[in-house]
Amino acid sequence: MLGGTTEASRLAQALAGADVHAVFSYAGRTEAPVTQPLPTRVGGFGGVPGLRDYLQREAISHVIDATHPFAAQMSQHAVQACTELGLPLLALERPAWQAQDGDRWQHVPDLAAAVAALPAEPARVFLAIGRQHVQPFLEQARHWYLLRLVDPGFELPEKRGTVVLDRGPFSLANDLNLLDRHRITHVVAKNAGGHGAQAKLTAARQRGCPVILIDRPPIPPRTTVGTVEQALQWLGLSHAHGTERGV
Ligand code: 3Y8
Ligand code: NAP
């Protein structure tokens, strides 16, 4: 299984509990990822050819893509490799977040549109999208940024903002405190879905804070479920009994 999300961790628990022969895969983007209850591999496969060779060498019978909705390249590669090998592929993907009463969301299609959506007047922006795409926002020099990252090592220029280190899943109390302490006026987030990153949106609603929400990138069609239980059923483990399958 291709991991890296809260749902992937929950599925790993269920597979380990059912004695399924499975291996958990991380990309290796963080220094010390959460330990999983399954044999774990870390690092890229080497594109589609590398993934295809891995799946054949390890005699994998089923692939479950439980990566983040924004991990579009990994998901694309999984579709290609499994199609070429005729391997069953399932995506475990949480539904996108939907606005509720009180939400002040502006949906944008991508990162560039999120930068363009920032207000004309100086703002204090909680940029909750990780560290890969910060530069285009920093170039909007009138704004102050709060970054939340997993690992240390990313410094902001003086007076341009502050970095907090935290891994999540995050709590509402934590994120309300973050908005208040840093006097945040805007939140920028990916429409990740799920519960692990949702607290900042609930906090923004309670504070009447506008959110610029980035739509998910396109991913080719594949069989998709939204819950761990559905993934277990797909594996023929409706009540989590043992099986000879590999994942
Ligand atoms: C390496 C594994 C679990 C999984 C927990 C979820 C929840 C907490 C919220 C905010 C948003 C962000 C970021 C985020 C969340 C969960 C989940 C989720 C968002 C870890 C993890 C890995 C990563 C990679 C990391 C990215 C970054 C994105 C931070 C582990 C903790 C912003 C996405 O420093 C970097 O290079 C980090 C890169 C990809 C996005 C980016 O572009 O920077 N996730 N996150 C996975 C691997 O190597 O395969 O370290 O334990 C996993 C989790 N991150 O098991 O409980 O399920 O979504 N992750 C976003 O949603 O916008 C933080 O701060 O509110
Ligand atoms: P990505 O852009 O879709 O993938 C880039 C490359 O990283 C892939 O082609 C693959 O390398 C490698 N890779 C990605 N996920 C992998 C995995 N689970 N196991 C092995 N290799 C993997 O991916 P990303 O957006 O950087 O996400 C990386 C990881 O962080 C994923 O596990 C994802 O679930 C997690 N994550 C991402 C986000 C986010 O916002 N993007 C948020 C939370 C968690 P090769 O081509 O060499 O095989």
Side-chain angles (χ1 to χ4, degrees):
M1 56 178 294
L2 299 168
T5 59
T6 309
E7 290 71 18
S9 296
R10 288 208 202 114
L11 178 59
Q13 293 287 345
L15 294 177
D19 292 328
V20 171
H21 300 296
V23 60
F24 191 100
S25 180
Y26 278 123
R29 296 297 312 275
T30 54
E31 284 165 13
V34 160
T35 306
Q36 298 295 338
L38 292 172
T40 299
R41 66 169 298 288
V42 180
F45 295 97
V48 176
L51 175 58
R52 199 181 46 229
D53 293 349
Y54 175 85
L55 295 172
Q56 285 183 304
R57 194 169 59 245
E58 299 297 321
I60 299 294
S61 60
H62 296 68
V63 176
I64 297 185
D65 177 358
T67 59
H68 191 274
F70 281 71
Q73 183 171 291
M74 185 70 256
S75 295
Q76 163 74 43
H77 288 185
V79 169
Q80 274 180 263
C82 291
T83 303
E84 285 169 19
L85 294 174
L87 271 186
L89 167 66
L90 180 77
L92 172 55
E93 189 174 88
R94 58 265 182 126
W97 289 315
Q98 306 290 337
Q100 302 174 21
D101 288 349
D103 281 329
R104 296 177 59 192
W105 290 1
Q106 178 181 353
H107 291 279
V108 292
D110 52 34
L111 283 152
V115 177
L118 290 171
E121 73 281 1
R124 293 177 67 84
V125 182
F126 176 16
L127 190 56
I129 58 168
R131 65 173 163 175
Q132 294 180 79
H133 310 288
V134 175
Q135 200 46 44
F137 292 91
L138 284 180
E139 283 162 14
Q140 304 294 318
R142 62 195 179 288
H143 300 313
W144 182 93
Y145 290 100
L146 166 67
L147 295 187
R148 175 155 66 184
L149 304 179
V150 179
D151 292 319
F154 188 101
E155 301 302 328
L156 278 178
E158 187 58 29
K159 301 198 186 321
R160 292 308 315 281
T162 191
V163 177
V164 297
L165 297 181
D166 203 349
R167 162 172 270 112
F170 304 106
S171 73
L172 177 56
N174 180 74
D175 284 13
L176 280 168
N177 179 277
L178 213 53
L179 296 187
D180 295 344
R181 187 146 45 91
H182 297 285
R183 296 178 284 114
I184 296 300
T185 62
H186 293 73
V187 174
V188 175
K190 297 173 184 171
N191 197 332
H195 306 292
Q198 191 164 23
K200 60 183 174 285
L201 302 183
T202 310
R205 181 187 317 129
Q206 292 190 8
R207 291 292 185 267
C209 178
V211 175
I212 297 168
L213 199 61
I214 303 166
D215 294 339
R216 299 174 169 191
I219 289 178
R222 65 254 164 97
T223 308
T224 300
V225 295
T227 69
V228 167
E229 181 50 37
Q230 288 169 317
L232 295 174
Q233 284 166 4
W234 179 77
L235 281 172
L237 292 167
S238 50
H239 297 295
H241 295 309
T243 171
E244 286 312 304
R245 298 165 188 269
V247 177

mmCIF file of all heavy atoms in Angstrom, residues 192-226:
data_model
loop_
_atom_site.group_PDB
_atom_site.id
_atom_site.type_symbol
_atom_site.label_atom_id
_atom_site.label_comp_id
_atom_site.label_asym_id
_atom_site.label_seq_id
_atom_site.Cartn_x
_atom_site.Cartn_y
_atom_site.Cartn_z
ATOM 1 N N ALA A 192 -7.605 18.844 0.899
ATOM 2 C CA ALA A 192 -7.070 17.498 1.182
ATOM 3 C C ALA A 192 -8.192 16.534 1.570
ATOM 4 O O ALA A 192 -8.110 15.337 1.318
ATOM 5 C CB ALA A 192 -6.036 17.586 2.315
ATOM 6 N N GLY A 193 -9.238 17.082 2.218
ATOM 7 C CA GLY A 193 -10.275 16.184 2.730
ATOM 8 C C GLY A 193 -9.749 15.448 3.956
ATOM 9 O O GLY A 193 -8.590 15.627 4.356
ATOM 10 N N GLY A 194 -10.609 14.618 4.538
ATOM 11 C CA GLY A 194 -10.188 13.837 5.700
ATOM 12 C C GLY A 194 -10.254 14.684 6.967
ATOM 13 O O GLY A 194 -10.603 15.860 6.950
ATOM 14 N N HIS A 195 -9.847 14.050 8.057
ATOM 15 C CA HIS A 195 -9.986 14.712 9.366
ATOM 16 C C HIS A 195 -8.656 15.278 9.869
ATOM 17 O O HIS A 195 -8.632 16.162 10.699
ATOM 18 C CB HIS A 195 -10.524 13.684 10.385
ATOM 19 C CG HIS A 195 -11.796 13.029 9.908
ATOM 20 N ND1 HIS A 195 -12.996 13.725 9.783
ATOM 21 C CD2 HIS A 195 -12.037 11.772 9.450
ATOM 22 C CE1 HIS A 195 -13.923 12.905 9.293
ATOM 23 N NE2 HIS A 195 -13.380 11.722 9.085
ATOM 24 N N GLY A 196 -7.550 14.761 9.346
ATOM 25 C CA GLY A 196 -6.259 15.127 9.910
ATOM 26 C C GLY A 196 -5.886 16.579 9.711
ATOM 27 O O GLY A 196 -5.107 17.137 10.475
ATOM 28 N N ALA A 197 -6.446 17.190 8.674
ATOM 29 C CA ALA A 197 -6.036 18.573 8.380
ATOM 30 C C ALA A 197 -7.236 19.515 8.457
ATOM 31 O O ALA A 197 -7.142 20.672 8.072
ATOM 32 C CB ALA A 197 -5.432 18.627 6.984
ATOM 33 N N GLN A 198 -8.368 19.009 8.947
ATOM 34 C CA GLN A 198 -9.624 19.769 8.849
ATOM 35 C C GLN A 198 -9.757 20.862 9.912
ATOM 36 O O GLN A 198 -10.449 21.861 9.725
ATOM 37 C CB GLN A 198 -10.812 18.794 8.988
ATOM 38 C CG GLN A 198 -12.151 19.415 8.647
ATOM 39 C CD GLN A 198 -13.205 18.346 8.408
ATOM 40 O OE1 GLN A 198 -13.090 17.216 8.876
ATOM 41 N NE2 GLN A 198 -14.221 18.674 7.643
ATOM 42 N N ALA A 199 -9.042 20.716 11.010
ATOM 43 C CA ALA A 199 -9.230 21.621 12.161
ATOM 44 C C ALA A 199 -9.054 23.086 11.778
ATOM 45 O O ALA A 199 -9.791 23.959 12.241
ATOM 46 C CB ALA A 199 -8.253 21.241 13.277
ATOM 47 N N LYS A 200 -8.119 23.371 10.892
ATOM 48 C CA LYS A 200 -7.864 24.785 10.548
ATOM 49 C C LYS A 200 -9.073 25.409 9.844
ATOM 50 O O LYS A 200 -9.322 26.606 9.988
ATOM 51 C CB LYS A 200 -6.618 24.910 9.694
ATOM 52 C CG LYS A 200 -6.663 24.167 8.367
ATOM 53 C CD LYS A 200 -5.350 24.312 7.646
ATOM 54 C CE LYS A 200 -5.321 23.449 6.391
ATOM 55 N NZ LYS A 200 -5.143 22.020 6.655
ATOM 56 N N LEU A 201 -9.837 24.583 9.116
ATOM 57 C CA LEU A 201 -11.022 25.108 8.423
ATOM 58 C C LEU A 201 -12.153 25.383 9.416
ATOM 59 O O LEU A 201 -12.873 26.379 9.320
ATOM 60 C CB LEU A 201 -11.489 24.118 7.352
ATOM 61 C CG LEU A 201 -10.458 23.760 6.275
ATOM 62 C CD1 LEU A 201 -11.077 22.841 5.246
ATOM 63 C CD2 LEU A 201 -9.898 25.012 5.614
ATOM 64 N N THR A 202 -12.277 24.494 10.399
ATOM 65 C CA THR A 202 -13.298 24.706 11.440
ATOM 66 C C THR A 202 -12.939 25.943 12.256
ATOM 67 O O THR A 202 -13.793 26.784 12.561
ATOM 68 C CB THR A 202 -13.387 23.468 12.351
ATOM 69 O OG1 THR A 202 -13.520 22.304 11.533
ATOM 70 C CG2 THR A 202 -14.568 23.566 13.300
ATOM 71 N N ALA A 203 -11.664 26.065 12.555
ATOM 72 C CA ALA A 203 -11.197 27.244 13.309
ATOM 73 C C ALA A 203 -11.446 28.520 12.507
ATOM 74 O O ALA A 203 -11.935 29.528 13.042
ATOM 75 C CB ALA A 203 -9.706 27.090 13.621
ATOM 76 N N ALA A 204 -11.168 28.458 11.209
ATOM 77 C CA ALA A 204 -11.388 29.638 10.351
ATOM 78 C C ALA A 204 -12.877 30.011 10.345
ATOM 79 O O ALA A 204 -13.242 31.192 10.447
ATOM 80 C CB ALA A 204 -10.900 29.357 8.940
ATOM 81 N N ARG A 205 -13.754 29.003 10.278
ATOM 82 C CA ARG A 205 -15.205 29.276 10.281
ATOM 83 C C ARG A 205 -15.594 29.974 11.580
ATOM 84 O O ARG A 205 -16.302 30.978 11.593
ATOM 85 C CB ARG A 205 -15.985 27.969 10.123
ATOM 86 C CG ARG A 205 -17.483 28.161 10.079
ATOM 87 C CD ARG A 205 -18.238 26.844 10.089
ATOM 88 N NE ARG A 205 -17.632 25.860 9.215
ATOM 89 C CZ ARG A 205 -17.323 24.616 9.598
ATOM 90 N NH1 ARG A 205 -17.568 24.213 10.825
ATOM 91 N NH2 ARG A 205 -16.761 23.774 8.745
ATOM 92 N N GLN A 206 -15.067 29.458 12.700
ATOM 93 C CA GLN A 206 -15.444 30.030 14.003
ATOM 94 C C GLN A 206 -14.913 31.453 14.164
ATOM 95 O O GLN A 206 -15.494 32.254 14.885
ATOM 96 C CB GLN A 206 -14.934 29.128 15.150
ATOM 97 C CG GLN A 206 -15.647 27.781 15.193
ATOM 98 C CD GLN A 206 -15.332 26.994 16.458
ATOM 99 O OE1 GLN A 206 -14.693 27.503 17.374
ATOM 100 N NE2 GLN A 206 -15.767 25.736 16.514
ATOM 101 N N ARG A 207 -13.842 31.763 13.477
ATOM 102 C CA ARG A 207 -13.270 33.109 13.581
ATOM 103 C C ARG A 207 -13.709 34.020 12.424
ATOM 104 O O ARG A 207 -13.257 35.159 12.330
ATOM 105 C CB ARG A 207 -11.730 33.015 13.599
ATOM 106 C CG ARG A 207 -11.187 32.390 14.886
ATOM 107 C CD ARG A 207 -11.421 33.288 16.098
ATOM 108 N NE ARG A 207 -10.805 32.751 17.302
ATOM 109 C CZ ARG A 207 -11.447 31.958 18.175
ATOM 110 N NH1 ARG A 207 -12.699 31.595 17.929
ATOM 111 N NH2 ARG A 207 -10.832 31.520 19.249
ATOM 112 N N GLY A 208 -14.540 33.471 11.533
ATOM 113 C CA GLY A 208 -14.986 34.287 10.383
ATOM 114 C C GLY A 208 -13.840 34.643 9.456
ATOM 115 O O GLY A 208 -13.849 35.681 8.783
ATOM 116 N N CYS A 209 -12.845 33.755 9.402
ATOM 117 C CA CYS A 209 -11.621 34.023 8.624
ATOM 118 C C CYS A 209 -11.756 33.435 7.222
ATOM 119 O O CYS A 209 -12.083 32.258 7.072
ATOM 120 C CB CYS A 209 -10.456 33.369 9.375
ATOM 121 S SG CYS A 209 -8.871 33.532 8.563
ATOM 122 N N PRO A 210 -11.509 34.239 6.176
ATOM 123 C CA PRO A 210 -11.621 33.701 4.810
ATOM 124 C C PRO A 210 -10.565 32.642 4.521
ATOM 125 O O PRO A 210 -9.442 32.713 5.041
ATOM 126 C CB PRO A 210 -11.408 34.932 3.923
ATOM 127 C CG PRO A 210 -10.926 36.022 4.790
ATOM 128 C CD PRO A 210 -11.174 35.666 6.205
ATOM 129 N N VAL A 211 -10.953 31.655 3.699
ATOM 130 C CA VAL A 211 -10.057 30.555 3.314
ATOM 131 C C VAL A 211 -9.942 30.522 1.795
ATOM 132 O O VAL A 211 -10.961 30.575 1.087
ATOM 133 C CB VAL A 211 -10.604 29.189 3.801
ATOM 134 C CG1 VAL A 211 -9.738 28.045 3.292
ATOM 135 C CG2 VAL A 211 -10.700 29.157 5.328
ATOM 136 N N ILE A 212 -8.704 30.458 1.305
ATOM 137 C CA ILE A 212 -8.458 30.226 -0.128
ATOM 138 C C ILE A 212 -8.163 28.736 -0.245
ATOM 139 O O ILE A 212 -7.153 28.255 0.295
ATOM 140 C CB ILE A 212 -7.267 31.081 -0.616
ATOM 141 C CG1 ILE A 212 -7.599 32.582 -0.484
ATOM 142 C CG2 ILE A 212 -6.907 30.731 -2.060
ATOM 143 C CD1 ILE A 212 -6.394 33.493 -0.677
ATOM 144 N N LEU A 213 -9.063 27.973 -0.895
ATOM 145 C CA LEU A 213 -8.978 26.516 -0.898
ATOM 146 C C LEU A 213 -8.625 26.011 -2.300
ATOM 147 O O LEU A 213 -9.339 26.297 -3.270
ATOM 148 C CB LEU A 213 -10.325 25.928 -0.451
ATOM 149 C CG LEU A 213 -10.294 24.492 0.037
ATOM 150 C CD1 LEU A 213 -9.389 24.316 1.258
ATOM 151 C CD2 LEU A 213 -11.710 24.015 0.388
ATOM 152 N N ILE A 214 -7.512 25.284 -2.379
ATOM 153 C CA ILE A 214 -6.976 24.839 -3.678
ATOM 154 C C ILE A 214 -7.594 23.501 -4.072
ATOM 155 O O ILE A 214 -7.553 22.548 -3.279
ATOM 156 C CB ILE A 214 -5.439 24.711 -3.610
ATOM 157 C CG1 ILE A 214 -4.812 26.049 -3.186
ATOM 158 C CG2 ILE A 214 -4.859 24.260 -4.960
ATOM 159 C CD1 ILE A 214 -3.351 25.960 -2.768
ATOM 160 N N ASP A 215 -8.169 23.456 -5.272
ATOM 161 C CA ASP A 215 -8.780 22.205 -5.756
ATOM 162 C C ASP A 215 -7.729 21.125 -5.965
ATOM 163 O O ASP A 215 -6.553 21.429 -6.184
ATOM 164 C CB ASP A 215 -9.479 22.444 -7.121
ATOM 165 C CG ASP A 215 -10.676 23.371 -6.986
ATOM 166 O OD1 ASP A 215 -11.198 23.499 -5.847
ATOM 167 O OD2 ASP A 215 -11.052 24.008 -7.985
ATOM 168 N N ARG A 216 -8.202 19.878 -5.919
ATOM 169 C CA ARG A 216 -7.284 18.749 -6.141
ATOM 170 C C ARG A 216 -6.838 18.685 -7.604
ATOM 171 O O ARG A 216 -7.616 19.043 -8.493
ATOM 172 C CB ARG A 216 -8.018 17.453 -5.810
ATOM 173 C CG ARG A 216 -8.465 17.415 -4.368
ATOM 174 C CD ARG A 216 -9.309 16.204 -4.090
ATOM 175 N NE ARG A 216 -9.513 16.056 -2.653
ATOM 176 C CZ ARG A 216 -10.039 14.964 -2.095
ATOM 177 N NH1 ARG A 216 -10.427 13.952 -2.860
ATOM 178 N NH2 ARG A 216 -10.172 14.904 -0.792
ATOM 179 N N PRO A 217 -5.625 18.211 -7.839
ATOM 180 C CA PRO A 217 -5.169 18.019 -9.221
ATOM 181 C C PRO A 217 -5.885 16.829 -9.851
ATOM 182 O O PRO A 217 -6.372 15.953 -9.134
ATOM 183 C CB PRO A 217 -3.674 17.723 -9.063
ATOM 184 C CG PRO A 217 -3.515 17.197 -7.681
ATOM 185 C CD PRO A 217 -4.617 17.793 -6.851
ATOM 186 N N PRO A 218 -5.982 16.799 -11.169
ATOM 187 C CA PRO A 218 -6.670 15.663 -11.812
ATOM 188 C C PRO A 218 -5.887 14.359 -11.666
ATOM 189 O O PRO A 218 -4.649 14.365 -11.671
ATOM 190 C CB PRO A 218 -6.713 16.083 -13.289
ATOM 191 C CG PRO A 218 -5.667 17.116 -13.456
ATOM 192 C CD PRO A 218 -5.475 17.785 -12.138
ATOM 193 N N ILE A 219 -6.601 13.265 -11.459
ATOM 194 C CA ILE A 219 -5.988 11.932 -11.368
ATOM 195 C C ILE A 219 -6.801 11.029 -12.303
ATOM 196 O O ILE A 219 -8.030 11.134 -12.349
ATOM 197 C CB ILE A 219 -6.042 11.412 -9.907
ATOM 198 C CG1 ILE A 219 -5.057 12.225 -9.030
ATOM 199 C CG2 ILE A 219 -5.677 9.927 -9.844
ATOM 200 C CD1 ILE A 219 -5.066 11.833 -7.566
ATOM 201 N N PRO A 220 -6.126 10.164 -13.077
ATOM 202 C CA PRO A 220 -6.880 9.300 -13.992
ATOM 203 C C PRO A 220 -7.874 8.419 -13.224
ATOM 204 O O PRO A 220 -7.670 8.132 -12.044
ATOM 205 C CB PRO A 220 -5.804 8.442 -14.661
ATOM 206 C CG PRO A 220 -4.564 8.637 -13.896
ATOM 207 C CD PRO A 220 -4.694 9.893 -13.108
ATOM 208 N N PRO A 221 -8.956 8.013 -13.907
ATOM 209 C CA PRO A 221 -9.996 7.203 -13.223
ATOM 210 C C PRO A 221 -9.427 5.873 -12.719
ATOM 211 O O PRO A 221 -8.592 5.258 -13.373
ATOM 212 C CB PRO A 221 -11.053 6.972 -14.299
ATOM 213 C CG PRO A 221 -10.439 7.336 -15.590
ATOM 214 C CD PRO A 221 -9.302 8.276 -15.312
ATOM 215 N N ARG A 222 -9.836 5.446 -11.556
ATOM 216 C CA ARG A 222 -9.481 4.127 -10.967
ATOM 217 C C ARG A 222 -10.571 3.835 -9.953
ATOM 218 O O ARG A 222 -11.275 4.722 -9.483
ATOM 219 C CB ARG A 222 -8.091 4.175 -10.324
ATOM 220 C CG ARG A 222 -7.976 5.109 -9.121
ATOM 221 C CD ARG A 222 -7.201 6.412 -9.412
ATOM 222 N NE ARG A 222 -7.443 7.399 -8.366
ATOM 223 C CZ ARG A 222 -6.645 7.619 -7.333
ATOM 224 N NH1 ARG A 222 -5.551 6.924 -7.185
ATOM 225 N NH2 ARG A 222 -6.941 8.586 -6.469
ATOM 226 N N THR A 223 -10.648 2.516 -9.596
ATOM 227 C CA THR A 223 -11.634 2.103 -8.578
ATOM 228 C C THR A 223 -11.291 2.808 -7.271
ATOM 229 O O THR A 223 -10.137 2.760 -6.821
ATOM 230 C CB THR A 223 -11.568 0.577 -8.361
ATOM 231 O OG1 THR A 223 -11.666 -0.060 -9.634
ATOM 232 C CG2 THR A 223 -12.707 0.103 -7.465
ATOM 233 N N THR A 224 -12.259 3.496 -6.671
ATOM 234 C CA THR A 224 -11.997 4.302 -5.473
ATOM 235 C C THR A 224 -13.032 4.022 -4.395
ATOM 236 O O THR A 224 -14.221 3.879 -4.699
ATOM 237 C CB THR A 224 -12.042 5.803 -5.844
ATOM 238 O OG1 THR A 224 -11.042 6.062 -6.840
ATOM 239 C CG2 THR A 224 -11.752 6.681 -4.631
ATOM 240 N N VAL A 225 -12.554 3.931 -3.134
ATOM 241 C CA VAL A 225 -13.461 3.831 -1.990
ATOM 242 C C VAL A 225 -13.083 4.936 -1.007
ATOM 243 O O VAL A 225 -11.977 5.486 -1.071
ATOM 244 C CB VAL A 225 -13.391 2.446 -1.303
ATOM 245 C CG1 VAL A 225 -13.885 1.355 -2.239
ATOM 246 C CG2 VAL A 225 -11.984 2.143 -0.802
ATOM 247 N N GLY A 226 -14.012 5.203 -0.073
ATOM 248 C CA GLY A 226 -13.767 6.309 0.854
ATOM 249 C C GLY A 226 -13.452 5.848 2.265
ATOM 250 O O GLY A 226 -13.092 6.655 3.117
#
